[in-house]
Amino acid sequence: MNCYNLSKRIHSYTNGYFNPGLQNLLQVSSEYNKRGELLPQEMRDSLLKIPARIGGYNIMRKVDKRSQFNFNAIAQGYSVDVISDFLESKGVENYMVEIGGELRVKGKNDSGKLWTVSLEAPNSTRENRQIQKMIAVDGKAVVTSGSYRKFKEIDGVKYSHAINPKTGLGVTHNLLSVSVICEKAAVADALATAFLVMGKEKTIKLLDTNNKYEVSLLFIEVDSANEYKSSTFGDFKQYELE
């Protein structure tokens, strides 16, 4: 229920760009993508009509019994918060909790310095790790959502694994990753997913109007020359290391 309730709030805050009720669409799209095909428009439209409803009353409600929830885009961050809050309840003042790349830190490491976090560059590989930015944070969560590895090229177009709930298709814009810094890992996890779908311009427009969760962001994009470039939002630069 905690994942559901937070999802409901993030769904409303992001104008529906975060939607954990798309499991049916994700499953069917995956089968088509494996064959190098796009899910047909008629089928996308049909599947988009049956997502689980998010909102209204403080209950879990389905408008169609076939619909399914998928909290993968928030559950790891939530797990990080559960462990972090437990440690704090026991008086632990210095910790780093990381699950699947989502993390939250407090205090200092065993060298007496602030915890440092490496944000991976899009051209990084397992054999040759590349870092886009290094940051030092305290009392914050850091989550990155990226599509530079998770995409499918169909008919010459790269479709991200991140599905746009408005269209039913993987996004095709040039935003490769979004790193979110805020207080809670579950919030950072959900917002990173939503912002990756929304793209940089829509994300900044939303935050300029209402930065409810006081986030700081690192955007990594690819330009027409296939060069990577990064930009920031909020107080991100204060966390950067030289």
Side-chain angles (χ1 to χ4, degrees), residues 135-146:
I135 59 175
V137 292
D138 180 15
K140 297 290 184 180
V142 184
V143 175
T144 297
S145 183

Side-chain angles (χ1 to χ4, degrees), residues 89-161:
S89 75
K90 299 301 181 181
V92 177
E93 297 180 352
N94 305 289
Y95 64 77
M96 172 185 281
V97 176
E98 183 270 334
I99 301 176
E102 283 77 349
L103 60 88
R104 182 171 141 187
V105 305
K106 182 180 179 181
K108 297 180 180 180
N109 60 25
D110 57 2
S111 298
K113 298 180 180 180
L114 291 179
W115 296 98
T116 59
V117 181
S118 301
L119 301 178
E120 195 174 58
N123 59 344
S124 179
T125 64
R126 291 181 180 178
E127 297 75 24
N128 183 22
R129 292 290 186 183
Q130 300 292 321
I131 297 173
Q132 190 77 18
K133 296 285 183 180
M134 287 280 294
I135 59 175
V137 292
D138 180 15
K140 297 290 184 180
V142 184
V143 175
T144 297
S145 183
S147 60
Y148 45 89
R149 290 200 186 100
K150 300 177 182 179
F151 65 89
K152 191 74 174 182
E153 187 168 337
I154 301 174
D155 296 331
V157 179
K158 291 183 178 180
Y159 293 90
S160 168
H161 75 292

Side-chain angles (χ1 to χ4, degrees), residues 58-209:
N58 190 26
I59 58 173
M60 190 173 295
R61 179 182 178 189
K62 293 182 177 182
V63 295
D64 188 305
K65 65 181 181 181
R66 297 168 297 174
S67 62
Q68 302 176 61
F69 288 95
N70 182 326
F71 295 107
N72 286 349
I74 198 171
Q76 285 188 158
Y78 174 69
S79 300
V80 169
D81 286 332
V82 169
I83 296 172
S84 299
D85 292 342
F86 171 77
L87 292 175
E88 291 191 18
S89 75
K90 299 301 181 181
V92 177
E93 297 180 352
N94 305 289
Y95 64 77
M96 172 185 281
V97 176
E98 183 270 334
I99 301 176
E102 283 77 349
L103 60 88
R104 182 171 141 187
V105 305
K106 182 180 179 181
K108 297 180 180 180
N109 60 25
D110 57 2
S111 298
K113 298 180 180 180
L114 291 179
W115 296 98
T116 59
V117 181
S118 301
L119 301 178
E120 195 174 58
N123 59 344
S124 179
T125 64
R126 291 181 180 178
E127 297 75 24
N128 183 22
R129 292 290 186 183
Q130 300 292 321
I131 297 173
Q132 190 77 18
K133 296 285 183 180
M134 287 280 294
I135 59 175
V137 292
D138 180 15
K140 297 290 184 180
V142 184
V143 175
T144 297
S145 183
S147 60
Y148 45 89
R149 290 200 186 100
K150 300 177 182 179
F151 65 89
K152 191 74 174 182
E153 187 168 337
I154 301 174
D155 296 331
V157 179
K158 291 183 178 180
Y159 293 90
S160 168
H161 75 292
I163 300 293
N164 184 340
K166 313 292 185 180
T167 65
L169 291 174
V171 296
T172 58
H173 52 60
N174 65 346
L175 181 60
L176 296 179
S177 73
V178 183
S179 296
V180 178
I181 301 174
C182 66
E183 184 177 351
K184 296 291 187 178
V187 171
D189 200 1
L191 289 180
T193 298
F195 293 162
L196 183 65
V197 172
M198 293 167 66
K200 180 179 174 180
E201 291 183 3
K202 288 181 180 178
T203 296
I204 291 177
K205 184 177 181 180
L206 169 66
L207 295 175
D208 280 341
T209 303

